[in-house]
Amino acid sequence: MDVIQHPASTMILCISPAGDLLVPGSATFNERIGYQNPDFDIGDYAVRNMGFVAVSRIGTDVYKLRFRPELLSGKAVEAMTRFIAVRDARTIELEVFTDSWRSEIHPNDHTAAQRIYQLCAAPPATQNRSRQRFEVTPLAIETATGDFGNPMKPIFQKWRISSGKFDDTTLPFVMRYGLSLRLTIVAAKTRSSPLCFQFVSDEVKLFDAPTKNTLVGRPILDQPDKEFANWIAPHYDEAVQAGTSRLDVIGATVAKPGGGQRRISYERMLLPWRHGQDGIIVTSTVVMLSTERESLANDNKPRLVSSK
């Protein structure tokens, strides 16, 4: 394998976790990402954080695929291999993130497809590792605030500049930056009162629409999956008591209201705000990382597992 350097290229297509081919900058693409008017490089962010694949053409005979193997779904892997199989380019460059970004070049034949499967297959140690139903991994707040492309950065800046005071300018700010779909808001009249839902995010999709509507005004412990509620509620209480921001990766297997379970992984930023004379508000801003990965078409192909 050769490490190569190419001049900067422009993304012409993007492969979604569902295996769809999307045009960067189109309304459909922005809607799938969750932003209609992003003010940052949303294509690059989707590749680095959401399991998308960027497709670029370099000259007449080279396609470049840029992706993070650990975030890719089985459908995205299959879509990648189908894409290159029907293209007339002689060469495929794979720009891949493991511990850092690196590039390698392969002929556009079975070699490139096999390398994609190899990169995206989970190592045996990962396949056999047991995992808990609920997991939380703390992150340094700089992980989000130091990255211009991170959509959580604006609300953190607003919180810091306003010294943690939630006022009439906060929600318009959230709307202007397109954060409303990523935001859950809980509030309490005093520090000793229970935190209750005021607004529930669509991003993680823990609840169906009827359940979301019934949650507003109810304590955060009053959720369909009581074990998940009892596990996650102390995170909010700790943020209130400490009065500081908190950034985590959440991995959880949550019972769905209609039956069954769903494994989800997402980044979550908790920010405690003062409201009025004694009121408390906590905002939870989330970026979805992955759902449970699917196995590829048959058992002879590498099995994909959930991301970290």
Side-chain angles (χ1 to χ4, degrees), residues 10 49 51 73 116 134 143 175 178 193 213 238 254 306:
T10 302
N49 298 282
S73 68
I116 290 172
F134 306 126
T143 303
M175 298 294 292
S193 303
N213 293 336
E238 291 166 9
V254 183
S306 59

Side-chain angles (χ1 to χ4, degrees), residues 141-211:
I141 198 69
E142 290 78 15
T143 303
T145 61
D147 180 0
F148 178 77
N150 195 309
M152 292 189 284
K153 182 174 183 176
I155 193 169
F156 177 81
Q157 290 178 317
K158 174 66 174 175
W159 175 79
R160 185 173 57 185
I161 292 171
S162 63
S163 299
K165 183 178 180 181
F166 196 101
D167 56 27
D168 292 341
T169 68
T170 308
L171 284 179
F173 179 90
V174 166
M175 298 294 292
R176 185 166 67 251
Y177 278 88
L179 293 170
S180 58
L181 295 180
R182 300 183 182 275
L183 196 68
T184 292
I185 301 175
V186 299
K189 293 182 179 179
T190 66
R191 283 183 174 269
S192 59
S193 303
L195 290 165
C196 297
F197 286 108
Q198 303 299 311
F199 184 80
V200 181
S201 167
D202 284 331
E203 176 74 0
V204 181
K205 302 187 185 303
L206 286 176
F207 317 111
D208 55 23
T211 303

Side-chain angles (χ1 to χ4, degrees), residues 15-280:
I15 299 172
S16 77
D20 301 322
L21 290 178
L22 304 175
V23 178
S26 66
T28 301
F29 174 81
N30 290 344
E31 181 179 359
R32 191 73 60 88
I33 301 299
Y35 287 89
Q36 286 301 327
N37 296 294
D39 61 349
F40 55 93
D41 188 343
I42 190 65
D44 183 65
Y45 182 82
V47 170
R48 289 185 290 111
N49 298 282
M50 300 179 68
F52 283 69
V53 180
V55 181
S56 306
R57 186 153 193 168
I58 306 170
T60 57
D61 290 329
V62 182
Y63 274 99
K64 179 166 76 172
L65 305 177
R66 188 170 190 258
F67 57 95
R68 288 185 66 176
E70 67 184 36
L71 297 184
L72 293 195
S73 68
K75 291 181 178 179
V77 174
E78 290 183 330
M80 266 202 297
T81 56
R82 286 198 306 269
F83 179 87
I84 63 176
V86 298
R87 294 305 184 278
D88 57 0
R90 295 179 180 179
T91 304
I92 300 297
E93 179 186 350
L94 304 178
E95 187 174 12
V96 180
F97 184 87
T98 50
D99 53 348
S100 61
W101 287 105
R102 59 185 176 80
S103 292
E104 52 187 70
I105 189 168
H106 300 278
N108 187 16
D109 54 22
H110 67 280
T111 307
Q114 286 180 350
R115 181 56 177 158
I116 290 172
Y117 282 124
Q118 182 183 27
L119 288 165
C120 296
T126 303
Q127 290 182 10
N128 297 329
R129 184 184 66 83
S130 61
R131 79 182 164 202
Q132 298 178 350
R133 186 180 174 196
F134 306 126
E135 298 175 319
V136 57
T137 304
L139 298 177
I141 198 69
E142 290 78 15
T143 303
T145 61
D147 180 0
F148 178 77
N150 195 309
M152 292 189 284
K153 182 174 183 176
I155 193 169
F156 177 81
Q157 290 178 317
K158 174 66 174 175
W159 175 79
R160 185 173 57 185
I161 292 171
S162 63
S163 299
K165 183 178 180 181
F166 196 101
D167 56 27
D168 292 341
T169 68
T170 308
L171 284 179
F173 179 90
V174 166
M175 298 294 292
R176 185 166 67 251
Y177 278 88
L179 293 170
S180 58
L181 295 180
R182 300 183 182 275
L183 196 68
T184 292
I185 301 175
V186 299
K189 293 182 179 179
T190 66
R191 283 183 174 269
S192 59
S193 303
L195 290 165
C196 297
F197 286 108
Q198 303 299 311
F199 184 80
V200 181
S201 167
D202 284 331
E203 176 74 0
V204 181
K205 302 187 185 303
L206 286 176
F207 317 111
D208 55 23
T211 303
K212 275 185 57 178
N213 293 336
T214 62
L215 285 175
V216 175
R218 289 161 58 180
I220 59 176
L221 287 172
D222 196 5
Q223 300 182 44
D225 189 327
K226 302 302 181 185
E227 291 185 37
F228 177 71
N230 287 326
W231 176 76
I232 208 164
H235 300 180
Y236 289 79
D237 294 335
E238 291 166 9
V240 170
Q241 295 303 318
T244 59
S245 57
R246 169 174 182 161
L247 182 65
D248 303 288
V249 172
I250 302 296
T253 302
V254 183
K256 298 189 294 186
Q261 293 183 326
R262 180 175 181 235
R263 182 73 183 180
I264 53 176
S265 177
Y266 58 95
E267 287 187 11
R268 179 204 63 189
M269 180 186 287
L270 296 182
L271 297 173
W273 307 71
R274 302 186 313 280
H275 184 238
Q277 185 172 356
D278 299 310
I280 296 293

